Structure formats: structure tokens, C-alpha cells
Amino acid sequence: MLVVMHSHASAEQVEQVVAAIRAMKLAPHPMPGATRTAIGITGNIGAVDPRTLEVLPGVMELIRVTKPYKLASREMHEADTFVKLPQTVIGPGTFTMIAGPCSVENEGMIRRTAEFFKQRGVKLLRAGAFKPRTSPYAFQGMGTEGLKILSKVRKDTGIGIVTELMDTDNADAVEEAADIIQIGTRNMQNFSLLKRVAKAKKPVLLKRGMSATLEEWLMAAEYVMAGGNYNVVLCERGVRTFSDHSRNTLDLSVIPPVKKLSHLPILVDPSHGTGKRDYVPPMALASLAAGADGLLLEVHPDPDHAQSDGAQSLDFAGFDKLLDSLRHLAEPLGKVIN
Ligand code: PEP
Ligand code: MN
């Protein structure tokens, strides 16, 4: 249910509605808009009885939200969400580049990569300290040592950090080091983890589960938002299909329905989506054309010697070439690369 207040409703009247929702043992989510405030209601199992609320002063109307995801839906929140970071903002009109190696391998390579990006105007660096690997014998990431490297390079260069949280045990440390907390495809429905990042002070980059429907994905976003963290950025990274010509099938056709059904920004990860570096630039350009709000890209100073995902990582020259093409395409589409 959504309570829409009159444009002239006072702050006290909004507060009265919020208190009434709490008294019904439900959760109020005030959403100030350009002209009026709306208050989302969650926590109800069945339909909310509108009568106690519609009589309160300042209430214009009550709208039933039909989708199972409420806070993530456009029904409840019509305007696009912009996720604000210290370094930049993610949302429509812009096209945000988040790039970097799959894993933190040592301080030197993170520093080199960050300095390269700073020169190119890229404001966010991705790199995993905790890595979800299919094989227990593969490089598992540097863990907390990796986080320390990311924090140090962030402090020295000012670049923002996007890094993955795999379990609740490391949540405090990752939250401290990250500007955006990444939740990987394998954890999209790790509900304890979603409830933990719902309490985090940092935005969440929620990758689509590799076999998740759009509804399941938005329900995962709903977990984070229902717990009070409204700064969720979706990321399409490819799904499992019968195709074996690429690592995953990058589902760019999910972008228009995401935009229709939700107000959250959506990025695309063409690196995991294709698994091969040659296929990354065309799919990156296609993501921009399809209406994505940015990219999550794997870029490594020496991809052939990367500890993880080298085959799908661009080198610096490859990144420069792609960035140039993206700039050409962004202009006629009315997007600014940031
Ligand atoms: C990654 O970004 O390096 C990663 C592990 O991604 P995903 O969860 O999409 O596989
Ligand atoms: Mn990777």
C-alpha cells in the first residue's frame, strides 16, 4: 500500500501517518518527492485496511501496490532512483564505469589500475578481496589483506571501491572498505546476507542470480530495501542457458522490463556475461544502447597472468579503445559517461 499525501501536507501530518502505520505494527517508508511525499507500507501479509489511514489529515489517496516487490517497484516509487556516492552518482542520464580486476592480487596492481582509471576519469574501481570460486583449489582472494590494500589505494587516489561481500562474518570489514558492497550472483538469494546489507550504510550492487527470474531478482532487492537500505543498484551478469558459445548468456533484454517495473538503476557486466575479452566491447556498447545506467567491467594490467578471470579481462589498451567507442555512442543517446 502507498499513502500519497497532498502537496500542501505538513511535516506533522506526514509524521502522524507514519505513527499510525507503526501503530498497525507495519513498516512506514516515507518517500519525499518533488511535489508531494508518499509513504510506502510494508510488513503486511494480507491487504492493509485503508480506513484508519484515509481519514488522517493531509492524506490524498491510498494506492494498492499489486506487485509482490513493493519498495523496488515503480508502482510505489515512480521517479528513477539515483544512487549517490562520494565520487559520483549512478542513475539515468549518466553511464557509470566501474572497472578493475576480478581479484585484488597485490598492492602494486591495484595502485597501477587505480592511477590509470583516475587519468581516464573513471571514478569507481572494482576488485574482489573475497572470491566465490567454483573450485576450492582456485585462488580464493586475499581476504582482509585485500581489503586493506583497497582502503589504502582509495585513501591515496580518491577512487571509489566496489568489492564483494560473501558472508555475514566479514560484513563489518567489507562495509568499512567499500563505497558499494557487491553481492554476487551465487548469493542473490542468500537471505541472511541480504538482511545484513539491508542494515549497511553503503549502497549495494546486487548481481542477478544466474538462474533468477526478474521477479526473483527484484524480490532480492526488496529484502535489502525492506530492511532500510534504499540504495540498491542492479547488475545483469548473464544467466545459464543451453548456449555454450559464451560463459553465460548476457540477458540485455531484461533492461527494458527492469526500467518499466522498477525505479532502481541497472548496470551490465559484459565480462562475466560473455567470458571472453573479445566479446566484451560489443556487448558493452549494446548495454549502453539498451538503456543500462553503466557497466561493471573486468580490466587487468596483465590479463594473461591474472589470478582469476583473465580470459574475460580487458588490458589497459583494450579499455581505452572501448571507452572511446562508448563516448561516441553516449552522446547521441543523451548519456554522459562518468
Ligand atoms: C565478480 O564480479 O568477479 C564475480 C564473481 O561475479 P559474479 O558473482 O557475477 O559471478
Ligand atoms: Mn570475476
Side-chain angles (χ1 to χ4, degrees):
M1 186 75 80
L2 181 68
V3 183
V4 183
M5 302 298 289
H6 277 293
S7 53
H8 53 75
S10 66
E12 289 72 35
Q13 288 173 336
V14 172
E15 202 32 61
Q16 206 184 341
V17 174
V18 164
I21 295 168
R22 285 212 183 94
M24 295 161 85
K25 300 259 177 300
L26 299 173
H29 302 266
M31 297 181 270
T35 53
R36 52 171 45 91
T37 292
I39 305 156
I41 305 176
T42 61
N44 50 303
I45 308 289
V48 176
D49 182 357
R51 281 167 300 182
T52 35
L53 298 173
E54 63 195 6
V55 295
L56 294 176
V59 172
M60 188 174 82
E61 61 173 336
L62 268 68
I63 299 172
R64 212 170 86 78
V65 177
T66 56
K67 296 284 187 295
Y69 42 88
K70 308 289 176 192
L71 300 167
S73 77
R74 249 205 222 276
E75 280 181 90
M76 200 175 255
H77 190 284
E78 205 181 331
D80 288 308
T81 283
F82 289 84
V83 172
K84 294 180 189 73
L85 299 159
Q87 303 81 9
T88 185
V89 59
I90 303 178
T94 65
F95 194 71
T96 303
M97 305 294 289
I98 306 178
C102 180
S103 312
V104 181
E105 297 173 4
N106 55 63
E107 186 175 328
M109 59 89 79
I110 292 296
R111 195 171 290 281
R112 263 183 77 195
T113 310
E115 279 163 3
F116 167 74
F117 287 145
K118 288 293 284 182
Q119 283 172 3
R120 303 305 190 268
V122 174
K123 300 180 188 74
L124 298 168
L125 175 97
R126 63 141 293 149
F130 297 97
K131 295 303 306 178
R133 303 306 301 281
T134 302
S135 166
Y137 309 119
F139 177 58
Q140 302 287 307
M142 291 180 74
T144 41
E145 281 310 304
L147 293 181
K148 279 189 202 146
I149 292 173
L150 292 173
S151 298
K152 211 163 150 193
V153 171
R154 180 187 192 275
K155 189 163 167 278
D156 294 347
T157 65
I159 203 153
I161 300 296
V162 181
T163 196
E164 180 162 350
L165 174 64
M166 279 174 52
D167 47 65
T168 50
D169 291 354
N170 292 298
D172 290 345
V174 170
E175 186 180 349
E176 170 81 30
D179 291 284
I180 303 183
I181 304 167
Q182 178 174 325
I183 299 295
T185 191
R186 294 160 186 81
N187 274 316
M188 190 204 80
Q189 284 188 320
N190 180 336
F191 299 115
S192 327
L193 196 58
L194 296 177
K195 285 179 186 170
R196 172 59 186 84
V197 295
K199 299 289 166 217
K201 301 276 178 292
K202 303 284 174 68
V204 171
L205 181 80
L206 182 63
K207 291 191 127 188
R208 180 181 179 183
M210 62 180 85
S211 60
T213 63
L214 174 51
E215 186 166 302
E216 288 163 341
W217 192 12
L218 292 175
M219 290 306 282
E222 189 76 12
Y223 263 89
V224 180
M225 301 175 85
N229 190 347
Y230 305 119
N231 290 310
V232 178
V233 181
L234 302 169
C235 180
E236 161 63 30
R237 51 77 70 202
V239 291
R240 279 286 168 90
T241 66
F242 54 83
S243 294
D244 57 3
H245 57 267
S246 56
R247 183 174 178 185
N248 291 287
T249 296
L250 190 62
D251 182 15
L252 296 185
S253 73
V254 83
I255 298 170
V258 161
K259 288 286 174 194
K260 187 178 167 134
L261 298 171
S262 178
H263 52 88
L264 296 173
I266 175 169
L267 307 185
V268 174
D269 171 356
S271 309
H272 293 85
T274 63
K276 291 198 179 79
R277 110 175 37 113
D278 291 353
Y279 306 158
V280 169
M283 297 315 286
L285 289 160
S287 307
L288 171 58
D293 300 303
L295 293 173
L296 184 74
L297 272 180
E298 286 188 336
V299 178
H300 192 284
D302 182 9
D304 292 337
H305 295 99
Q307 302 242 37
S308 59
D309 286 348
Q312 65 193 34
S313 300
L314 298 174
D315 60 12
F316 289 176
F319 177 80
D320 267 341
K321 201 161 163 241
L322 172 58
L323 189 58
D324 195 45
S325 315
L326 287 166
R327 287 218 165 93
H328 280 95
L329 183 61
E331 205 194 320
L333 291 170
K335 290 232 181 205
V336 176
I337 309 263
N338 73 5

